[in-house]
Amino acid sequence: MEYSKKLWLWLGAIFVLSFAVLGLIGREIYVKAPPVPEKIVSASGQTIYTRVDIETGREVWQTLGGMQLGSVWGHGGYVAPDWGADWLHREALTLLDVWAREKGAKDFAALNLEDQAALKDRLKRELRTNGYDASTGAITVSDERAQAMAAVGRHYASLFSSDPALKELRVQYAIPEKSIVDAKQREQLGAFFFWTSWTSVTNRPDDTITYTNNWPHEPLVGNTPSASLGIWSIASVLFLIAGIGWLLWYQARRGEDDHIEAPAGDPFLQMKPTPSMRATTKYFVTVLGLFLAQVLLGAITAHYAVEGQDFYGFQISELIPYALTRTWHTQLGIFWIATAWLATGLYVAPMLSNHEPKFQRLGVNVLWVALLVVVIGSFAGEWMAIQQKLGHGANFWFGHMGYEFVDLGRFWAILLFVGLMIWLTLVGRALWPALKRPSETRGLIGMVFVSTIAIGLFFGAALTWGRHSPLSMIEYFRWWVVHLWVEGFFEVFATAVIALIFAGLGLVRARAANTAVVFSTAVFLTGGILGTLHHLYFSGTTTPVIAWGAMFSALEVVPLALLGVEAFHNYRMTKAAPWVQTYKWPILFFVAVSFWNLVGAGILGFSINPPISLYYIQGLNMTPSHGHAALFGVYGMLGVGLMLFCLRTAYRSAVWSDAILKPAFWTLNIGLAMMVFLSLVPAGIYQSYQSITHSFWYARSPEIVHGPVMETLVWMRVPGDIVFSVGPVLLAVFMLKLLTGRKARREIGLDPSLVPAE
């Protein structure tokens, strides 16, 4: 007991200290964020862009889908270019041509090598010199650069119109015809793209490193890795090795847990689901509906990488363009996984406390309706935004926020936050009697309760920014939601719930499970909270972000070193007693979670986490390879496993079809592996090679993205996608049979814990 208290104190100290550091770094990000100028003027006094142009341009970009259509600072989609990197490369080449014509040449390529070298050196000085005057709020550029900027601006104005000269490029970028009707707004969009480019090539005051730490890699303008990227990458690997060494020493010193004999029968067999527990079934039906929709939209989105505006010859981009299908695909992944976990909380809370609060079932039903309103309402708003049917103010509240994974408009985000508060109340009041009652599982219940509070509150980070907040701060808080809310506290919640399941089944000692969960949570959050910063290396932040992010994101990998042991123990539990076979498939999904945690979050995650690696790889297909393997492989598999456990205990009298669950399990896992390792990883490696040897712009250019290698690798996704898509269909069939099929027959003399399976 004393040891458990020490672990809780350790966990509390880690939490407080980590968020204190994260808060201090957030303050520095705010203070040193790249400035948005009041105006951009040429040396001769011509006003090129104003602050209003840049801010309005960002809102125009949001209505197009924002990060779902190309990327900014490396975050977003992969078919269209990174707009800042694209502007930077085009401006550099145009400016070189302007100077060459001043020398009497046709263009830069017509000059001799000596003159070319001189102009390249001049280009670096011109673009990297910081012309921002804080006293006037103006950026001053040379007249030649103003000329180049005007030419590049005209390119983007044509790109987002219906100019037939750029038709092929729009198809390659998966941009619909005449995306922006208003000509002025097309010009303002260019102003925002220029600003993102300016932050990436302009040195900070009194420094030799740009606002984005020299990202993207573009040797033409002197954007190459800074020394800090290499130094902190080496330090992070050493920190990782030290962390794994300490963890293995701790585990060896602690020794193996005492063996525990499984009970003779299923401890949950006689449990009668309460009305509110039964009411969660509709959540799980919704989970499968959203999952199926996500798979369908994923297939359409992936195919857009080949045809751009068509789906196997059918032109659908005017109705559901790439930016919209990718928005819905990524949001659905969050929605259905979160719904599965929220439903699990609503289900297990009364089960743990043996207490059904008054009006609990009504609350569960009301919350389900609220979640549907958020999903349907936000999807409708995003469609209207991309169809250019909302003004910028209305778009902020009801349309498309433009930031990946938190795309829903502010009104829908507030409704979701209110829904989470309702969920927190429902789960908390059902858990409270168990939390007050002394028991060996009270520590685990306490962890579920604490993580429930964190899940409810931390989505509030999505409500922190306004229409014109600094982009660096939006990125800072966006990753609070994506990394801390989704990857952090939901995982703590799920770990505690799984431990309670195994303890309730009598397969592990409650006291040992409590200690293990608190310890693993402490280890996980040690790296997990400050590890959030590894997403922000190149988002207008300073070198301390690289240092803290590199070191602590490396620690995120430390607990994954023992996942093989965890997977083996979980698998061994299916052999503990004959009756445990009734929980075989939920447990095997938990085993799959361990496997994909190691592969997706561990191997593929750490391949991109070190600063020097991410410098070259951010915004390339290595990121979605990690994302697919970690998001579905870990959190999706976990959601399915939790769903199956709840259904297993809620529907004892119904036939449980292992014959359907077995192929569902294997098609999901094999299909995901094929998708990742036959397509996404090879594509990521190929693009990474191009980024390292040439530039980031080149790795994202149509020459590479629509070259024969990349398009072949896109087609290589099809077999894996087909195999994977069978999984959710089988799960839907399983759910249909479970809810509408016949009841299981109980034969005389049959062990009542062994419910017949087809």
Side-chain angles (χ1 to χ4, degrees), residues 672-694:
L672 179 60
M674 293 171 66
M675 186 191 312
V676 170
F677 293 107
L678 293 182
S679 178
L680 292 174
V681 168
I685 293 173
Y686 176 69
Q687 279 189 299
S688 299
Y689 172 79
Q690 302 298 337
S691 176
I692 294 168
T693 56
H694 295 92

Side-chain angles (χ1 to χ4, degrees), residues 219-464:
L220 180 63
V221 298
N223 268 17
T224 54
S226 64
S228 61
L229 297 178
I231 291 170
W232 290 110
S233 295
I234 295 170
S236 72
V237 174
L238 297 177
F239 211 38
L240 169 64
I241 295 171
I244 292 175
W246 172 83
L247 181 62
L248 294 176
W249 173 84
Y250 172 85
Q251 287 295 109
R253 182 171 176 265
R254 182 166 169 260
E256 289 288 331
D257 293 331
D258 294 336
H259 179 70
I260 182 173
E261 291 292 335
D266 183 353
F268 290 146
L269 184 62
Q270 303 305 321
M271 182 201 75
K272 294 190 66 174
T274 66
S276 71
M277 293 167 68
R278 286 279 191 180
T280 61
T281 299
K282 64 175 69 69
Y283 284 76
F284 296 123
V285 173
T286 304
V287 163
L288 292 178
L290 297 178
F291 188 11
L292 287 167
Q294 189 205 12
V295 170
L296 175 61
L297 288 164
I300 296 173
T301 303
H303 189 76
Y304 268 133
V306 177
E307 289 197 70
Q309 295 179 350
D310 297 344
F311 184 71
Y312 293 100
F314 295 95
Q315 188 169 10
I316 60 175
S317 62
E318 291 185 8
L319 182 63
I320 49 170
Y322 170 85
L324 186 66
T325 63
R326 191 176 190 274
T327 297
W328 287 351
H329 175 69
T330 54
Q331 267 196 223
L332 280 170
I334 301 295
F335 279 149
W336 78 256
I337 293 171
T339 301
W341 293 7
L342 295 177
T344 299
L346 295 170
Y347 184 90
V348 302
M351 183 179 76
L352 294 172
S353 64
N354 293 317
H355 171 64
E356 174 87 342
K358 193 175 182 180
F359 302 123
Q360 184 78 355
R361 180 183 179 184
L362 175 62
V364 170
N365 290 335
V366 168
L367 179 59
W368 177 74
V369 173
L371 290 174
L372 286 184
V373 169
V374 169
V375 173
I376 296 171
S378 65
F379 277 27
E382 287 152 0
W383 182 86
M384 293 181 69
I386 290 177
Q387 294 294 330
Q388 302 294 297
K389 297 181 182 296
L390 297 175
H392 295 152
N395 180 69
F396 176 81
W397 284 99
F398 302 103
H400 202 305
M401 195 65 74
Y403 305 114
E404 194 176 27
F405 296 112
V406 285
D407 301 282
L408 65 171
R410 178 56 51 83
F411 176 77
W412 309 113
I414 291 173
L415 282 189
L416 181 55
F417 184 70
V418 171
L420 289 169
M421 292 299 100
I422 296 173
W423 177 77
L424 170 58
T425 302
L426 293 172
V427 174
R429 71 187 195 134
L431 277 178
W432 189 248
L435 200 59
K436 293 192 299 182
R437 185 172 57 243
S439 68
E440 285 194 334
T441 59
R442 187 160 69 168
L444 289 171
I445 296 171
M447 184 63 77
V448 172
F449 185 74
V450 170
S451 59
T452 299
I453 294 173
I455 290 169
L457 295 178
F458 269 82
F459 182 76
L463 310 178
T464 55

Side-chain angles (χ1 to χ4, degrees), residues 515-548:
T515 301
V517 167
V518 179
F519 174 77
S520 63
T521 300
V523 173
F524 170 71
L525 291 184
T526 297
I529 295 174
L530 290 174
T532 306
L533 296 172
H534 84 265
H535 298 285
L536 302 172
Y537 294 154
F538 313 117
S539 298
T541 57
T542 53
T543 300
V545 170
I546 295 175
W548 286 96

